[in-house]
Amino acid sequence: MAKTLIVASAESTRIPFLRGILTRSLQELGLGFDAAYDVASVIRDELADVDELTSDALRERVADHLDEHYTPELARRYRLAGADVQATVVEGIDGQTRYFSRSQLTHVLQAVGLELEEATNISQRVNTHFAKKRTQAISAARLNELLRRYLRLAAGAEVARRYDTWARFRMSDRPLLILIGGTAGCGKSTIATELATRLNIVRSVSTDMLREVMRFLLPERLVPSIFKSSFVAWQTLPSSPDGNGNGNSQQLLEEGYLAQAQLVKQANEAVIRRALREHVPLILEGVHVYPGMLDDIELGDEVIVVPIMLATLKRKQLRRRIQGRSGDAPRRRADRYLDNFDAIWGLQSFLLSEADRRGDPIISNDEKSVTIQQIMRVIVDRIDEADARRPRENMTVL
């Protein structure tokens, strides 16, 4: 089936209709992926016998569908989103210019802790302001002032402050290192993935994957510890009793974990140093991210280090999460974790105690969106602490 060609009204260029692009545009309005994909599929089927269509006509067709099957407000917002073609130019303080992008602003506002719907609404209000005023160009300083005003009105002064801090940081080109630790089942990978998406961080590394590489390269007889799970690494200690499990005391648990974590630390450090050399932000997550891991690693004054210790503070909740892993992993693996649940709980107690002793942020991961907002506050606070003596400038990340 030949694709329908969409004629861009402003440029008279022809591009094929792409369902994925329309799906993404609808998601930016606040529709979930399934709903957005369904709408895009319906539109694609309607265009099956259409050879060519203008972008304005396509937009009206989609808006009419939203009006009929969803809400008039959603249709109105979709029509207004077309004002992006107005192409307001943002004049940066570095002399460079870039086009204002509503979708990019939405992404930035999510980075500072707003939910998609709230970020989309604010971005749309800014876009509508430009359309009504017929704004062809705006300075970065003026745009930031406008954004701070909308953010204060819609989300409060604290969110406006976080945006300001994040915008300045993004323009500073300073390295960002986010460390997410926690025991099995507390949601480290899920939170790291969500953070990477919101902050547009392309390098996110799991210490479990680094340990797996070490297992491939090193024989078990030389480093038996890394071939064990972190909560039973004590079994490879010289002082560990054989067989009967009587050595699974809290002290042995901690000693075994630290011995294993020290081995993985070398791989962690290599990944960190590579990211710093390339000046790219990095999220390092895993059970082998522990308080004090970077104490003897010289990172330099420019690096913003954000240590986070995730926690699940209710035993039943942590057990349920581990049980839920059986949908993504072999059942026997989930059973093995459950069989060692007391050790996993004991390891979490040790990690939280160490984080508390050092003053590292501890975040209870009860609900993902709340956890992300709390982590963003920690990141902004760290940037503020490191940036306190630097001159404040009006910058934009758009």
Side-chain angles (χ1 to χ4, degrees):
M1 182 177 68
K3 283 187 175 293
T4 302
L5 294 177
I6 305 302
V7 182
S9 304
E11 303 173 6
S12 297
T13 57
R14 289 168 170 77
I15 58 174
F17 169 80
L18 299 173
R19 178 171 53 177
I21 297 296
L22 179 55
T23 299
R24 177 62 180 166
S25 297
L26 294 171
Q27 283 184 276
E28 290 170 357
L29 288 180
L31 279 183
F33 172 79
D34 290 340
Y37 186 82
D38 288 344
V39 173
S41 297
V42 169
I43 298 300
R44 184 200 60 178
D45 293 343
E46 290 180 357
L47 298 179
D49 298 324
V50 178
D51 295 328
E52 194 172 280
L53 192 70
T54 67
S55 56
D56 288 342
L58 173 62
R59 181 165 294 278
E60 279 304 308
R61 186 185 288 256
V62 175
D64 287 344
H65 181 89
L66 295 175
D67 193 11
E68 180 179 355
H69 297 281
Y70 290 86
T71 66
E73 172 60 19
L74 188 62
R76 184 188 70 83
R77 284 164 49 199
Y78 183 77
R79 287 188 175 95
L80 284 173
D84 265 341
V85 300
Q86 175 185 301
T88 298
V89 173
V90 180
E91 301 166 345
I93 62 172
D94 53 4
Q96 296 184 354
T97 61
R98 57 188 63 85
Y99 289 118
F100 170 77
S101 168
R102 179 184 54 81
S103 60
Q104 192 171 356
L105 176 57
T106 298
H107 195 71
V108 170
L109 295 179
Q110 282 186 276
V112 298
L114 293 184
E115 289 302 303
L116 175 60
E117 184 176 359
E118 194 173 18
T120 300
N121 287 337
I122 293 174
S123 300
Q124 188 57 62
R125 290 177 64 182
V126 174
N127 198 59
T128 302
H129 173 88
F130 289 158
K132 288 181 177 179
K133 299 288 186 180
R134 299 185 181 275
T135 304
Q136 295 182 342
I138 187 171
S139 69
R142 173 60 184 144
L143 174 57
N144 269 346
E145 181 183 334
L146 184 67
L147 284 171
R148 284 193 293 268
R149 189 175 73 201
Y150 277 122
L151 285 169
R152 281 195 298 268
L153 290 173
E158 173 60 20
V159 174
R161 184 191 70 81
R162 293 207 303 269
Y163 167 79
D164 215 20
T165 297
W166 182 246
R168 293 197 320 273
F169 172 73
R170 285 289 298 274
M171 290 297 291
S172 73
D173 196 34
R174 302 178 72 185
L176 175 65
L177 174 58
I178 302 174
L179 306 172
I180 303 177
T183 194
C186 70
K188 300 179 296 297
S189 298
T190 300
I191 294 300
T193 300
E194 181 69 17
L195 265 183
T197 299
R198 291 203 181 198
L199 301 182
N200 197 27
I201 294 177
V202 298
R203 192 164 299 183
S204 180
V205 179
S206 165
T207 64
D208 278 344
M209 295 303 296
L210 296 178
R211 182 176 56 170
E212 196 63 33
V213 172
M214 294 177 70
R215 286 172 171 172
F216 182 78
L217 296 175
L218 300 172
E220 185 174 359
R221 67 180 183 276
L222 292 182
V223 282
S225 173
I226 64 171
F227 287 83
K228 294 285 188 178
S229 294
S230 57
F231 46 84
V232 292
W234 60 268
Q235 294 174 353
T236 64
L237 293 173
S239 58
S240 171
D242 293 329
N244 60 16
N246 293 331
N248 195 5
S249 67
Q250 184 66 24
Q251 182 179 351
L252 277 179
L253 175 71
E254 296 169 10
E255 290 176 359
Y257 165 78
L258 288 175
Q260 183 186 83
Q262 281 294 317
L263 292 171
V264 181
K265 177 184 174 181
Q266 298 179 52
N268 293 346
E269 182 176 352
V271 169
I272 290 171
R273 292 200 179 281
R274 177 65 180 267
L276 296 182
R277 281 199 307 271
E278 297 179 354
H279 262 252
V280 294
L282 169 69
I283 298 176
L284 182 65
E285 62 86 8
V287 70
H288 304 99
V289 173
Y290 60 94
M293 185 183 75
L294 301 182
D295 282 355
D296 58 351
I297 301 177
E298 183 59 44
L299 299 177
D301 296 333
E302 289 295 300
V303 183
I304 306 295
V305 181
V306 185
I308 299 291
M309 187 59 65
L310 285 188
T312 302
L313 300 177
K314 297 178 180 179
R315 288 179 63 97
K316 289 183 178 180
Q317 183 180 15
L318 182 59
R319 182 180 287 275
R320 283 197 300 269
R321 286 183 174 176
I322 291 174
Q323 287 173 329
R325 284 179 145 199
S326 62
D328 303 318
R331 178 70 218 180
R332 64 186 179 205
R333 182 183 177 193
D335 288 343
R336 178 168 57 85
Y337 276 55
L338 291 172
D339 289 342
N340 290 278
F341 182 79
D342 287 341
I344 292 173
W345 185 259
L347 181 55
Q348 174 174 260
S349 298
F350 168 67
L351 291 172
L352 296 183
S353 295
E354 286 298 294
D356 182 62
R357 182 178 64 82
R358 296 177 55 87
D360 290 349
I362 298 172
I363 294 179
S364 179
N365 184 24
D366 298 321
E367 204 281 315
K368 184 172 72 172
S369 63
V370 175
T371 299
I372 293 296
Q373 289 179 344
Q374 291 175 337
I375 291 177
M376 279 310 308
R377 291 189 185 101
V378 172
I379 293 173
V380 169
D381 287 343
R382 290 279 170 152
I383 294 171
D384 275 338
E385 291 170 9
D387 210 30
R389 297 180 183 177
R390 290 171 173 255
R392 296 176 65 87
E393 296 176 343
N394 287 311
M395 299 181 180
T396 184
V397 295
L398 303 179

